[in-house]
Amino acid sequence: MENNLLRPEQPLGIFDSGIGGLTVAHAVTRLLPSESIIYFGDTAHLPYGDKSTAAIQAYSIKICDLLLQQGAKVILIACNSASVSAYDLVREYVGSRAKVLNVIDPVVHYIGENYANRTVGLIGTRRTVSSGVYRQKIKALRRNITLKSLATPLLVPMIEEGFVHNRLSQYILDMYLTHKQLESVEALILGCTHYPLIRPEVEAYYGDRLEVIDSSEMVARALYQLLEEHHLLNQSGEGTKRFLVSDFTRTFQSQTRLFFGEKVELETYPLWE
């Protein structure tokens, strides 16, 4: 019988290289308020976007071990760079102990359903863009979709440091969004879980000219469908929330409200000691 070891009351495990994945966690808690979550931000090693594949895989497996020990029924990789580098390995490693979801496949599915024979843009970390994973997955759809990608490495540290909705963030965004690589796109994928925080500025830049695609809500809906399909939806009571980081700083603590929309208390969990 499927899922005889997994139960609806088990928590959801969510991880990211830092606190950017809290945008996904927030979308999940809004859509699935009865689900308990355990979030892990690997703040000791961020950003993943500039790390080697081997390093990201090693970090991801360590984090999965922690989340499995905490009884997670699903492991959601709330990080584009880790989804690129470690998703297949994580899925193999976890096996039947939990379901595994990444933040890329739900977006690719949406693009395939809505942008056949059109041109789509992508902004993300160097790791996400250089991997070509979005391009490969979109090409595999065979929907004649052209993808134009641009690495935007300044955006994550800018957002982590709280430089949003001001003159500096506007200058950096303008520099990227006016790049010739993004000319003629009909939609723009925000290919990093930090980027929902600057979605209003991106939308203001483009106006009604294109759709800005935010993965956090799509991933939350995909998670709902996964839980429903495998009879793992927890539909009673209000879920609990734990937020762990591998390295605590007051800067991260102060910025968590930006990402999660409410106050978050971080617990330090030095996984590599």
Side-chain angles (χ1 to χ4, degrees):
M1 180 178 173
E2 187 182 18
N3 291 329
N4 59 341
L5 297 179
L6 297 176
R7 304 179 308 279
E9 63 269 21
Q10 291 177 250
L12 305 171
I14 304 174
F15 80 88
D16 183 29
S17 60
I19 56 177
L22 288 173
T23 58
V24 176
H26 190 217
V28 168
T29 57
R30 287 201 310 268
L31 185 64
L32 298 163
S34 295
E35 298 289 346
S36 294
I37 67 166
I38 301 172
Y39 180 90
F40 189 91
D42 188 12
T43 49
H45 298 104
L46 67 84
Y48 278 7
D50 294 326
K51 298 291 189 299
S52 69
T53 295
I56 295 171
Q57 290 178 341
Y59 303 152
S60 297
I61 293 300
K62 285 278 191 179
I63 294 167
C64 286
D65 273 335
L66 166 64
L67 296 176
L68 289 170
Q69 288 167 18
Q70 299 294 321
K73 62 185 176 185
V74 173
I75 292 178
L76 169 53
I77 307 175
C79 171
N80 277 265
S81 297
S83 293
V84 166
S85 299
Y87 173 63
D88 290 337
L89 178 65
V90 164
R91 191 170 56 173
E92 181 180 352
Y93 180 77
V94 170
S96 62
R97 291 179 289 173
K99 302 299 177 183
V100 181
L101 186 66
N102 65 51
V103 292
I104 295 174
D105 289 335
V107 175
V108 170
H109 176 76
Y110 178 83
I111 292 295
E113 291 289 311
N114 294 278
Y115 285 92
N117 306 306
R118 299 170 73 181
T119 301
V120 175
L122 165 73
I123 56 174
T125 65
R126 288 192 183 97
R127 165 69 52 181
T128 297
V129 171
S130 66
S131 73
V133 66
Y134 275 95
R135 187 177 309 281
Q136 294 160 16
K137 287 177 177 286
I138 288 173
K139 184 178 180 180
L141 298 173
R142 299 184 182 277
R143 304 300 304 275
N144 191 33
I145 300 167
T146 300
L147 182 69
K148 294 186 173 183
S149 305
L150 179 68
T152 51
L154 291 178
L155 294 183
V156 167
M158 178 189 84
I159 295 167
E160 290 273 12
E161 293 298 325
F163 290 105
V164 294
H165 315 310
N166 60 29
R167 190 177 300 176
L168 177 61
S169 63
Q170 193 62 58
Y171 175 81
I172 294 173
L173 263 179
D174 286 349
M175 179 184 68
Y176 284 136
L177 298 180
T178 56
H179 196 284
K180 63 181 181 180
Q181 182 63 17
L182 297 180
E183 288 178 358
S184 305
V185 298
E186 299 170 80
L188 182 69
I189 301 168
L190 302 182
C192 176
T193 52
H194 284 68
Y195 294 1
L197 289 185
I198 54 172
R199 177 178 173 178
E201 293 172 84
V202 177
E203 289 179 328
Y205 174 85
Y206 285 110
D208 297 328
R209 286 178 286 162
L210 56 74
E211 180 185 10
V212 177
I213 298 172
D214 172 358
S215 65
S216 60
E217 293 175 1
M218 291 180 191
V219 172
R221 290 195 295 270
L223 176 59
Y224 180 96
Q225 292 168 1
L226 178 71
L227 293 173
E228 188 175 50
E229 177 185 350
H230 294 284
H231 309 291
L232 289 172
L233 273 173
N234 188 3
Q235 298 175 306
S236 62
E238 183 175 352
T240 61
K241 307 176 187 69
R242 286 186 69 199
F243 303 94
L244 313 177
V245 290
S246 52
D247 184 36
F248 178 87
T249 70
R250 293 192 181 278
T251 301
F252 289 129
Q253 180 68 72
S254 65
Q255 294 303 324
T256 51
R257 184 185 290 271
L258 273 176
F259 290 86
F260 198 69
E262 60 186 77
K263 186 177 180 181
V264 168
E265 291 296 333
L266 300 178
E267 303 175 42
T268 306
Y269 198 105
L271 200 58
W272 285 266
E273 291 184 3

